[in-house]
Amino acid sequence: MTTAAVTSRLEHGTAWVELNVPGEAVNALPPDAWTELDRLLGRLNRDDDVRAVVLISRKPGSYIAGVDIKIFGALRTRDEAHTLVRAGQDVVERVARMQIPVISAIHGACLGGGLELALAGTYRIATDDDRTRIGLPEVQVGILPALGGCQRLPRLIGVQRALDLILTGKSVSATRAYRMGIVDELVHPAILEQAAGAAASRLSTGWRPRRRRFNVAAWAMDRNPVGRRVVFGAARKQVEKKTGGHYPAPLAALQAVEHGLQHGIEAGLDIEATLFAELAVSGVSRNLVRIFFATTALKKESGVAEPAPTPKPVTKVGIVGAGFMGAAIGGVASLRAGSDVRFRDRDLASVGRGLSIAEGVLRDQHDRGRLSKHDFSRRRSLLSGTDDWSGFRRADLVIEAVFEDPDLKRSVFADIEAQVENGCVLASNTSTIPIAQIVEGLAHPERVLGMHFFSPVEKMPLLEIIVTEQTAPWATTTAVAFGKQLGKTVIVVADQPGFWVNRMLAPYLTETGRLLLEGVSAETIDREMTRFGFPIGPVALMDEIGLDVVHKASAVLHRAFGARLAPTDILPRMLEDGRLGKKRARGFYRYEDGKRREVDQAALELVNAATDMEIRREDVQARLVFSLLNEAVVAFDAGVVRNARDGDIGAVFGIGFPAFRGGPLRYLDEYGLTNATATLEELARTYGERFEPAPRLAAMATNNELFHPPA
């Protein structure tokens, strides 16, 4: 075996090229692996005894998960990046120009450079295993497919289908890839090698597959210059709308696809390399790569100091409170973890509504083609409910999801503790109330913690695990492991009011209320924050969260931190008028069929805004952004998160802080702590002492410190 983990063996005229990068969970090929592969393929191409080549992985659950992304972080200049991608293109071109057939036998992740390598070959066989995912995710780290992916995929499956994968960076199942025409053959994992060997024998005798042509209308558009302009024009508008101009990679990928189709594949490869080089050393890509590494690191962490106790398996989950959040948590638990979920609520009608919501989570995945009919039925059968405590005795984890009221939660936890076994973890889905207040009077507070999910549970990627000084490490590792089973990015935070995400949100949303009272329109407020890079503005965000939920959370934080987080009286006025936000289709905005429409003028009349204040557009953005940033520093100084990495990931995945800016603490580092201090001091002089710089920020600026170590 070579150091690059590329080996080969010859059987009956077929060379089996086997990939297995040592010491790694997946085959993310480092540069030396690509070099070794290139040499080996060149040798096989000259060998008269070799009639076909099969590329196969010996890494369980991973074909080729692309190029090792660590090399991107080491790039310093465009020339370095250009040289790197040209070397990779040469390897892929070697495959494309082989005089003998090249078959890719795909099981597990076939992503990025792995798919580009497979596309250059003659034939692709994939397993119908859930772990087999196929795609070009490069735009998610701020670059573009540059080993020919922008050239070969559109030619194989059509421009429109290819753009859907290239511009979004999403991956698809092997079944979907087969239907799209990316994969030529779909087999059970047990017969992958047998099928690959048979395909090699057929192809070596001159047989060639008859590929399914994409639909006639799409084919006509692809072959028609006018049609292509329509397709590319529509795609460009969609990308610009979605990215707001903050993420250049999708537009660069679109340019590479269009240029290659107009001028040929060689010209397409040239522009891929040029655009890749520009993107790879940009600040956007560096921040997105950092986020990728941070989330990867979090997947490997237990949540406690090593040596960590082994997490207990969670197969049976109890949910107390079958309202919107509790029901969604249960639905996701059955969907992602295959857990047996038991709901409890005050009456059977409430339980029934919760079961309907949980089933809706499953049905949505079924309707999208992501869950088979069999799997839908099986997971639905895992959902049950009751208005008593039957079924809770055997629970491994019980999650409380009742109203945000400390007295109610304490009462519920006392009841839960009396019903479950000693090894059961008890968790509260509270969004702001400290867990220490909830565990008062419990016999076993060591097994209690917080599991703060975000709405909508099935879409939001973050989970905050809140631990008290009494929480046992085994309870923490169990909750963290279960959160990962649910597909969440998990951060462990300290037990302080609001925790991390809602602590930052509190002054941000309060400042939004002040701006509304001063006469700044809701449209202006939301537009300024989407211009900064948030996916949604703060006024619309309050509607999404629920105005009642925001009001309760702001009251908790006001009591905890005093005048600095004093809310306005806007939300009480809205609630008195029956406005709860999107869930009741009445908030700051109007809603039709669940979709946000224009601002509701009747709601603004309730605000009773001033009309004689002039506030600069730049100040609107600065007041909102720096209220959040300043509070992030205060909370960081108080030890709410373990490190700056967790703080940034929590903000990006929890509130949609712009990923291309790296998170609030990374953004402060890049903005300059001295500059940030000066900005806050200016805001404090103009708008009040609530903008006084956090002491930690001012001290770090004075000492030339950073939240993150320099690269």
Side-chain angles (χ1 to χ4, degrees):
M1 179 177 288
T2 69
T3 57
V6 180
T7 59
S8 69
R9 57 186 171 85
L10 185 64
E11 291 182 359
H12 309 297
T14 297
W16 294 79
V17 176
E18 301 174 335
L19 300 162
N20 189 359
V21 178
E24 299 292 339
V26 298
N27 276 330
L29 302 186
D32 59 344
W34 288 92
T35 301
E36 185 66 18
L37 179 61
D38 187 42
R39 291 171 181 165
L40 177 59
L41 291 173
R43 188 166 69 249
L44 294 174
N45 200 38
R46 296 188 298 270
D47 190 335
D48 292 338
D49 293 330
V50 178
R51 297 192 299 273
V53 173
V54 174
L55 297 175
I56 193 167
S57 169
R58 294 304 177 199
K59 187 75 67 179
S62 172
Y63 175 64
I64 303 175
V67 179
D68 187 349
I69 200 171
K70 290 193 289 291
I71 64 177
F72 297 150
L75 296 173
R76 290 291 175 266
T77 67
R78 281 187 291 182
D79 287 344
E80 286 180 10
H82 193 273
T83 299
L84 175 73
V85 77
R86 273 304 197 188
Q89 286 182 347
D90 288 344
V91 181
V92 175
E93 284 299 294
R94 167 87 69 184
V95 172
R97 294 171 182 167
M98 292 281 281
Q99 297 176 5
I100 52 179
V102 179
I103 299 95
S104 291
I106 302 166
H107 175 61
C110 177
L111 303 171
L115 177 56
E116 291 176 292
L117 191 70
L119 289 172
T122 315
Y123 197 74
R124 288 162 293 282
I125 304 175
T127 66
D128 56 4
D129 191 275
D130 287 343
R131 291 174 293 178
T132 301
R133 303 291 299 179
I134 293 171
L136 296 170
E138 284 86 349
V139 295
Q140 294 181 10
V141 289
I143 55 175
L144 80 165
L147 303 185
C150 291
Q151 310 310 313
R152 293 189 173 90
L153 190 61
R155 288 170 170 80
L156 179 67
I157 65 172
V159 174
Q160 289 175 294
R161 285 180 172 178
L163 289 179
D164 185 46
L165 293 183
I166 293 170
L167 302 184
T168 63
K170 67 184 180 184
S171 62
V172 297
S173 67
T175 302
R176 177 84 186 279
Y178 175 72
R179 290 171 181 163
M180 295 173 73
I182 302 173
V183 168
D184 297 300
E185 189 175 343
L186 203 60
V187 300
H188 189 277
I191 62 169
L192 177 62
E193 288 195 40
Q194 179 183 344
S201 297
R202 295 195 306 273
L203 289 160
S204 65
T205 59
W207 175 84
R208 289 294 180 269
R210 290 185 62 186
R211 293 201 164 95
R212 298 174 304 284
R213 175 67 63 186
F214 39 92
N215 69 66
V216 175
W219 182 83
M221 292 286 276
D222 282 359
R223 295 299 185 272
N224 183 337
V226 176
R228 275 189 192 168
R229 282 198 295 272
V230 171
V231 171
F232 284 113
R236 188 167 288 105
K237 287 181 180 178
Q238 187 175 5
V239 168
E240 289 171 346
K241 180 180 179 181
K242 186 173 182 180
T243 67
H246 297 301
Y247 297 87
L251 284 176
L254 186 63
Q255 181 183 351
V257 173
E258 187 172 20
H259 187 83
L261 289 174
Q262 287 179 346
H263 302 287
I265 195 166
E266 291 298 328
L269 292 171
D270 286 343
I271 198 169
E272 278 185 9
T274 299
L275 293 172
F276 172 90
E278 294 173 357
L279 293 169
V281 296
S282 69
V284 170
S285 180
R286 292 198 183 284
N287 279 332
L288 294 178
V289 168
R290 286 166 178 150
I291 289 171
F292 173 84
F293 283 134
T295 54
T296 301
L298 281 166
K299 290 176 184 177
K300 300 175 182 178
E301 294 182 3
S302 65
V304 302
E306 299 296 333
T310 302
K312 294 192 173 187
V314 175
T315 59
K316 296 178 176 61
V317 178
I319 307 285
V320 181
F324 183 78
M325 282 297 292
I329 293 168
V332 170
S334 67
L335 173 68
R336 305 263 171 78
S339 301
D340 191 339
V341 178
R342 183 74 161 171
F343 292 105
R344 183 190 188 278
D345 214 314
R346 60 183 179 272
D347 53 53
L348 291 179
S350 299
V351 172
R353 286 190 292 270
L355 286 169
S356 179
I357 293 170
E359 182 180 321
V361 172
L362 303 177
R363 189 172 298 282
D364 177 69
Q365 294 300 298
H366 173 266
D367 292 346
R368 292 172 182 265
R370 298 172 184 170
L371 199 64
S372 69
K373 184 177 181 180
H374 170 73
D375 285 339
F376 170 76
S377 297
R378 183 169 63 85
R379 284 171 169 78
R380 183 173 59 179
S381 70
L382 297 172
L383 302 171
S384 64
T386 175
D387 60 354
D388 56 28
W389 291 103
S390 59
F392 276 72
R393 177 64 61 183
R394 296 183 301 148
D396 305 305
L397 168 68
V398 175
I399 301 173
E400 164 273 310
V402 301
F403 295 118
E404 286 287 278
D405 179 275
D407 293 333
L408 175 60
K409 289 180 181 290
R410 276 192 292 270
S411 174
V412 168
F413 268 91
D415 291 339
I416 295 172
E417 188 175 57
Q419 298 296 328
V420 300
E421 300 289 352
N422 288 339
C424 178
V425 177
L426 310 186
S428 174
N429 183 48
T430 178
S431 57
T432 53
I433 301 170
I435 305 302
Q437 294 182 18
I438 296 171
V439 301
E440 292 174 1
L442 293 183
H444 296 285
E446 71 278 0
R447 59 174 172 171
V448 183
L449 43 71
M451 294 182 72
H452 179 206
F453 292 85
F454 296 81
S455 182
V457 178
E458 63 273 21
K459 294 180 180 179
M460 292 296 286
L462 186 70
L463 173 64
E464 285 183 313
I465 300 292
I466 305 107
V467 297
T468 72
E469 294 180 355
Q470 297 172 289
T471 303
W474 68 265
T476 302
T477 59
T478 299
V480 169
F482 184 66
K484 293 175 185 176
Q485 280 186 271
L486 301 183
K488 302 298 182 184
T489 296
V490 183
I491 62 171
V492 176
V493 301
D495 186 34
Q496 296 186 30
F499 318 124
W500 176 247
V501 171
N502 284 341
R503 177 77 173 270
M504 286 184 295
L505 270 182
Y508 175 69
L509 298 182
T510 297
E511 198 63 29
T512 300
R514 290 194 177 97
L515 287 166
L516 287 169
L517 285 173
E518 293 168 16
V520 181
S521 71
E523 295 96 334
T524 297
I525 293 170
D526 282 350
R527 184 171 59 249
E528 285 308 305
M529 296 317 293
T530 54
R531 279 178 176 169
F532 182 76
F534 280 88
I536 186 174
V539 180
L541 178 62
M542 286 192 283
D543 270 3
E544 290 282 341
I545 296 171
L547 303 186
D548 53 336
V549 176
V550 175
H551 177 57
K552 289 176 182 177
S554 63
V556 170
L557 292 168
H558 181 207
R559 287 194 298 270
F561 300 110
R564 184 169 57 81
L565 295 185
T568 67
D569 64 351
I570 288 179
L571 292 181
R573 296 182 205 169
M574 298 285 285
L575 296 174
E576 287 174 8
D577 193 48
R579 295 178 179 272
L580 300 184
K582 182 179 179 180
K583 59 188 173 184
R584 293 288 177 83
R586 292 187 79 231
F588 289 103
Y589 283 85
R590 291 183 60 257
Y591 295 86
E592 292 179 7
D593 299 324
K595 294 184 178 180
R596 187 172 69 250
R597 302 302 183 186
E598 70 276 5
V599 170
D600 190 338
Q601 295 304 315
L604 296 185
E605 291 176 7
L606 294 172
V607 173
N608 192 26
T611 57
D612 58 350
M613 297 186 68
E614 289 292 332
I615 301 173
R616 296 188 309 156
R617 182 177 64 80
E618 295 82 359
D619 278 7
V620 172
Q621 188 178 103
R623 286 171 61 177
L624 292 167
V625 170
F626 278 90
S627 63
L628 187 154
L629 295 176
N630 206 32
E631 191 64 29
V633 178
V634 174
F636 180 78
D637 190 38
V640 175
V641 287
R642 297 178 296 175
N643 49 53
R645 177 205 66 186
D646 288 9
D648 283 338
I649 290 298
V652 170
F653 290 166
I655 61 175
F657 192 92
F660 71 93
R661 298 189 188 276
L665 302 177
R666 177 73 67 181
Y667 178 68
L668 282 168
D669 282 345
E670 295 182 349
Y671 187 86
L673 303 194
T674 300
N675 293 335
T677 301
T679 298
L680 282 162
E681 288 172 343
E682 178 61 29
L683 288 170
R685 283 191 292 269
T686 307
Y687 297 106
E689 62 182 12
R690 65 184 180 279
F691 287 106
E692 287 294 335
R696 174 73 175 269
L697 180 65
M700 290 178 68
T702 300
N703 297 324
N704 294 317
E705 296 175 351
L706 296 171
F707 290 101
H708 294 270

